Amino acid sequence: MSLRVLSVASECVPLVKTGGLADVAGALPHALAPEGVAITTLLPAYPKVLAALPDAVPLRRFEDLFGGPARLLRGQAAGLDVLALDAPHLYDRPGNPYLSPQGGEWGDNAIRFAALGAVAALVAREGAGGAPGFDLLHAHDWQAGLAPAYLRFGAGARRVPSVFTVHNLAFQGKFDPAIFPRLGLPPQAMSTDGIEYYGAIGYLKAGLWYADRITTVSPTYAAEIRTPEAGMGLDGLLRGRGGALSGILNGLDTRDWDPATDADLPAAFSAVDVAPRAANKRALQERMGLHPDPGALLFGFVGRLAWQKGVDLVLGALPAVLGADAQLALLGTGEWGLEEGCRGAAWANQGRVGAQIGFDEGLARLFYAGADVILVPSRFEPSGLAQLCALRYGALPLVAHVGGLADSVIDANEMALAAGIGTGLHFSPVTREMLESAIGRAAQLWRDKPAWARLQVNAMATDVSWRRSAAAYAALFRDTAAHAG
Ligand code: ADP
């Protein structure tokens, strides 16, 4: 019999997205269906969500949900079973889910996401529209962090277990403790052994504290966040709950990301017929104003231009790239100083460095399908998609040995080469010097054409789909449900 799971998140592809959380929330229902897990997704009814659910039907009404009337609607979109919390006083606004059009955070975010958590707990316990309650609640990130707390203190004998998933520990949902009386939680919840967090109220902390199990998006990130360096103030709690914490790597939608069918590529190719890939490299060199030299090792970088992503290290390592007679293509958008740095590098090294500032998914796909190496020198990376796209499209990922990057790429060291199992290159610690050294290793490997071809085939043969991770979530859900009580 299928396990019925209520997933609660603030974002879900394709209805509403600001970050990777939306990709995971949108992918898991499809990936887990073959595992016998039926997921219903509860979302705030932002205008975009309502627009995507034209046939939604009301299941339940709330006369006063944190200051206004609300309805719970049920609809289907893109193969997802969706419950939308239609509370116009909380969610019917322009701007993105968290920010006003002027860019500031909505002043009542604490209440907006308390409502989401409270309704999630209620629906998980009681069900909706005549359907029974759920077997398990899966809450994502701080916006859903109060759901496990409301479950713990809710009325009724039925105990619904919960799993809380952290997509990025940097976003913590910290609020003024003065709002506590409005949350409807009992006084004992406002303590260090509860939702209190350094004198404030922490929604992420609440999820970490009250959920039966905690997951994050890669095994290495799950280990890193237990340390003071990466724990962002929560490492003590995470060490204390270490037995309940695990990491499950994110997957890639391999139907959408397929070099054999990708309409954005001039030439289709696959692991068994890599030769046409050369036409994509030529096209990428042309688009980026690089010399059309098939023999030049082409490094690419695609990503947010932010400190986390280490593009400053790439710019610092430029002499190593140029010294190896290689080329560099940069695609990204973000901090002004980094954008200027990319533009400046291209201007000073015409024909050998190219930069495009902006967000362009078609061009990103050409990067993965045309570059020889994709650089991912992130200072921290909970899971990471860029390296999975690179593997799938036959560009060797050269990655910092952190988080999901460490878990998804096999370094082509001596032993891996001897065993024929490498898929990319690692460097550690995350410094310019170590990046330069890895760039040197890549240049050396590039000269050994049979070794390179082998690594490329290995990369493309890597299973970057959701298959393994879906099985891991299903096993975790079943285990959590079996041990609840
Ligand atoms: P994060 O979510 O932290 O930004 P990820 O590696 O998890 O990083 O996901 C980033 C995704 O967004 C990748 O698929 C990458 O190709 C894509 N991306 C990032 N910047 C750009 C850009 N400027 N243009 C097109 N795609 C981009």
Side-chain angles (χ1 to χ4, degrees), residues 51-70:
L53 299 170
D55 302 322
V57 293
L59 297 186
R60 183 167 184 158
R61 282 171 204 284
F62 304 89
E63 270 178 33
D64 180 5
L65 182 72
F66 291 85

Side-chain angles (χ1 to χ4, degrees), residues 302-304 309 331-333 358-361 364 368 381 384-386 389:
V302 182
R304 286 187 287 118
K309 300 290 177 182
L331 169 62
T333 174
F359 193 95
D360 183 337
E361 182 162 337
Y368 297 122
E381 195 61 79
L385 273 179
C389 302

Side-chain angles (χ1 to χ4, degrees), residues 74-245:
R74 180 175 188 194
Q76 320 288 322
L80 301 170
D81 182 33
V82 179
L83 295 176
L85 180 57
D86 182 24
H89 61 297
L90 301 175
Y91 309 127
D92 183 11
R93 302 179 186 182
N96 94 357
Y98 321 112
L99 309 175
S100 73
Q102 288 72 40
E105 297 217 342
W106 295 112
D108 58 348
N109 274 348
I111 296 304
R112 298 172 75 221
F113 295 106
L116 182 67
V119 170
L122 187 77
V123 172
R125 249 194 331 267
E126 297 180 3
F134 287 81
D135 300 316
L136 185 129
L137 176 85
H138 185 197
H140 297 268
D141 272 355
W142 72 264
Q143 299 90 343
L146 285 195
Y150 283 113
L151 262 188
R152 184 65 60 91
F153 294 110
R158 206 171 100 76
R159 159 133 166 67
V160 179
S162 58
V163 171
F164 183 62
T165 295
V166 184
H167 297 264
N168 190 337
L169 206 63
F171 303 107
Q172 302 198 343
K174 220 172 147 186
F175 298 105
D176 188 337
I179 59 143
F180 183 73
R182 293 190 62 195
L183 300 182
L185 286 165
Q188 68 265 33
M190 190 56 188
S191 93
T192 323
D193 292 347
I195 71 173
E196 194 268 332
Y197 181 50
Y198 295 111
I201 291 177
Y203 280 29
L204 188 84
K205 194 252 169 146
L208 297 175
W209 184 263
Y210 286 111
D212 294 279
R213 301 286 180 89
I214 304 164
T215 73
T216 185
V217 287
S218 68
T220 295
Y221 192 58
E224 289 168 345
I225 59 178
R226 293 177 223 207
T227 67
E229 294 73 35
M232 300 196 169
L234 288 160
D235 48 291
L237 164 54
L238 290 163
R239 280 194 298 279
R241 296 219 60 202
L245 169 64

